Amino acid sequence: MQLSPLVARVLAPNPSPFTYTGTQTYLVGTGTLAVIDPGPDDPDHLAALMAAVDGRPVLAILCTHTHRDHSPAARPLGVMTGAPVIGCAPLTLDDDGPRADAAFDADYRPDRILTDAEQVAGPDWTLEAVATPGHTSNHLCFALPQERALFTGDHVMGWSTSVISPPDGDMSAYMRSMQRLADRDDVIYYPAHGDPVESPQRLVRGMMGHRKQREGQIVRFLRRHGDSAIPDMVAAMYKGVDPRLYPAAGRSVLAHLIDLDGRGVAAPAGDGRWRIV
Ligand SMILES: [Zn+2]
């Protein structure tokens, strides 16, 4: 589906409670293309991408981060198109603790790593990396200055707030990355999941406010109930949410608690419980 003069999208067939209707892969450019977030290594999706590319040269395959719904198709698509994989750094995790989000793609091997403000350019497009750690430590957004557009990956999604799952997910970093987007002047976001976002700074400020509200709920809960375990906080604070998302909500509450711990507001109280300092 063509969304703007330079941007088209292809939806991958991987709908789930985490991916909404599925991962959206973006094609940027008219004659010579870039592909952003190639998606899962799924033969039907790769065939749909090759049909959308339609024989045009692909200059770069970029990944915002390395969750398995985003990057595994990078290598096979690279082989099919001859394009290099350029973008976020690979991720090495110190532990294999619980992961509430899609698991990590351990096989991701970029040909070139983009760091903040580095660019890849085609004849009618430029893509500039905007480092946005938080959802994952290696997350990048990509700015398209020709359309004042920003490809936001999972940092800002069009249908839900993103999952921040420690230890790789980091609420303090996420809030700094959100502020960074709030300070930019993009006119449209293209998220990996959900519809394009117009008036994006308003959404970013709203999402930051939502996190601050959640933080306030956690602090009030701990003040009222004393030392508490995360599942009890989730049950009280996420009423009406799909129970399949409770584990993810628990990871998000943990991310808030770690952030509060870093600011001297809350601390672990033993036995998986947390207390107010
Ligand atoms: Zn993700």
Side-chain angles (χ1 to χ4, degrees):
M1 180 191 289
Q2 196 72 35
L3 301 173
S4 80
L6 287 176
V7 179
R9 87 175 163 206
V10 178
L11 177 65
N14 60 339
S16 82
F18 287 109
T19 63
Y20 192 46
T21 55
T23 305
Q24 297 172 128
T25 301
Y26 291 100
L27 272 55
V28 179
T30 52
T32 300
L33 305 176
V35 176
I36 297 177
D37 280 345
D41 184 0
D42 174 289
D44 290 340
H45 184 53
L46 281 163
L49 286 177
M50 290 305 284
V53 167
D54 194 22
R56 292 173 289 178
V58 177
L59 206 65
I61 298 166
L62 299 102
C63 299
T64 59
H65 65 299
T66 47
H67 276 145
R68 289 172 59 83
D69 57 324
H70 288 257
S71 55
R75 191 49 62 191
L77 188 67
V79 169
M80 293 160 94
T81 60
V85 178
I86 298 175
C88 69
L91 204 58
T92 43
L93 295 170
D94 298 335
D95 77 290
D96 55 358
R99 307 276 171 222
D101 202 344
F104 290 86
D105 172 13
D107 300 325
Y108 172 75
R109 300 275 183 281
D111 298 299
R112 179 184 156 202
I113 294 169
L114 282 189
T115 57
D116 188 50
E118 286 192 312
Q119 297 182 340
V120 189
D124 55 359
W125 52 265
T126 309
L127 289 169
E128 179 176 323
V130 180
T132 41
H135 174 66
T136 60
S137 59
N138 64 349
H139 196 288
L140 299 177
C141 294
F142 298 110
L144 174 66
Q146 288 81 1
E147 296 189 353
R148 287 175 65 194
L150 189 72
F151 297 91
T152 53
D154 282 0
H155 178 55
V156 176
M157 300 195 286
W159 71 291
S160 159
T161 55
S162 63
V163 172
I164 312 295
S165 182
D168 192 57
D170 182 322
M171 188 63 71
S172 318
Y174 169 81
M175 290 298 271
R176 285 193 297 274
S177 295
M178 290 299 267
Q179 186 60 51
R180 202 172 168 200
L181 295 205
D183 293 341
R184 293 174 53 90
D185 62 355
D186 308 293
V187 298
I188 191 163
Y189 289 173
Y190 295 111
H193 309 279
D195 286 329
V197 177
E198 292 171 27
S199 312
Q201 288 80 21
R202 201 172 63 186
L203 179 71
V204 167
R205 285 193 296 270
M207 285 177 164
M208 293 176 77
H210 169 78
R211 298 287 180 171
K212 281 286 165 199
Q213 275 182 353
R214 187 68 79 200
E215 179 186 295
Q217 265 186 313
I218 291 169
V219 169
R220 284 194 301 279
F221 188 95
L222 289 176
R223 288 218 172 99
R224 190 173 307 143
H225 299 274
D227 298 1
S228 302
I230 288 173
D232 298 329
M233 298 186 222
V234 169
M237 296 188 306
Y238 287 81
K239 292 196 175 88
V241 167
D242 183 340
R244 287 178 295 178
L245 295 175
Y246 274 10
R251 304 305 296 168
S252 191
V253 170
L254 174 61
H256 276 294
L257 288 164
I258 292 169
D259 181 41
L260 288 166
D261 188 7
R263 287 152 48 203
V265 179
D271 290 338
R273 302 168 85 79
W274 289 78
R275 63 183 174 85
I276 284 290
V277 173

